[in-house]
Amino acid sequence: MSQSRQERLSAEAELAVYDRAVAAEDAAASIQLAAMGDWSAWMTAAARRRQDLTAGLALLEAREAEAREAVREALADTRRLELALEQITQAERRMALRREQQAAEEAELQRPKA
């Protein structure tokens, strides 16, 4: 889960850096009207790249959510097993105590009366 989270954070950081680069290119292109033709082609490619980055980020977020759910399920399973073990242990203690009581009663019955 930690790795999924790290990958998602990395993808988010990459997307943020990319958005800043696009904003800088946009600002530069608006200043240089001669570069508008090149900028238009670049902007189309940039939009596709951003779409790819966004899709990758969505995939990483889904993986992280799956990992979180798997951990949650594992913890729930562990808790159920702990409760079952606790119940079994308590039942064994009660049975052992009952056997001790029965043995004490039998020993009392076996003792000669004075």
Side-chain angles (χ1 to χ4, degrees), residues 2-94:
S2 176
Q3 181 180 356
S4 295
R5 183 172 189 274
Q6 188 59 39
E7 287 173 353
R8 180 185 53 82
L9 292 174
S10 178
E12 286 176 349
E14 183 179 355
L15 183 59
V17 168
Y18 188 75
D19 284 345
R20 284 193 297 275
V22 169
E25 286 293 326
D26 186 37
S30 64
I31 293 171
Q32 300 173 353
L33 293 178
M36 279 304 264
D38 292 339
W39 177 82
S40 178
W42 181 87
M43 196 59 183
T44 301
R48 277 193 305 268
R49 174 73 175 136
R50 186 177 199 296
Q51 187 176 20
D52 291 344
L53 289 171
T54 302
L57 178 58
L59 179 63
L60 291 172
E61 287 171 341
R63 285 184 190 162
E64 183 180 7
E66 288 173 5
R68 238 188 246 113
E69 181 62 19
V71 168
R72 188 195 66 71
E73 288 176 8
L75 289 173
D77 287 345
T78 300
R79 183 62 184 142
R80 280 191 292 274
L81 291 172
E82 287 172 345
L83 290 173
L85 178 61
E86 186 176 316
Q87 290 174 347
I88 290 168
T89 302
Q90 288 175 358
E92 288 175 347
R93 284 184 193 142
R94 285 191 303 271

